[in-house]
Amino acid sequence: MLIGWYMSDNQCPVHGHGESTRRWMSTDELFRETNEVTIVHNHQPYKLRITKNGKLILTK
């Protein structure tokens, strides 16, 4: 299942400039009702989490 959304005109939702090769996803959508997700890259799990201060931290 693919989670996320694409801007219909391929524009960055933050700055509005064209980005035809990038996919944009809000952290609200990515994290939904949790503060941590696991991302697998090259068969290795990485944890991406939101801190109490609202910062993002990626750890292996």
Side-chain angles (χ1 to χ4, degrees):
M1 183 172 119
L2 182 63
I3 299 173
W5 52 270
Y6 293 87
M7 297 296 289
S8 61
D9 55 359
N10 290 324
Q11 287 191 346
C12 168
V14 177
H15 301 290
H17 54 78
E19 293 288 347
S20 61
T21 60
R22 292 185 183 171
R23 186 172 133 219
W24 298 93
M25 180 182 296
S26 72
T27 55
D28 290 337
E29 186 174 5
L30 179 63
F31 288 94
R32 298 205 179 166
E33 297 177 10
T34 186
N35 66 345
E36 182 176 287
V37 295
T38 300
I39 300 169
V40 178
H41 176 67
N42 289 333
H43 308 286
Q44 297 291 318
Y46 292 82
K47 293 187 187 251
L48 181 63
R49 68 181 178 93
I50 301 175
T51 68
K52 291 179 183 178
N53 294 328
K55 305 286 184 178
L56 291 175
I57 296 182
L58 180 66
T59 56
K60 188 169 183 180

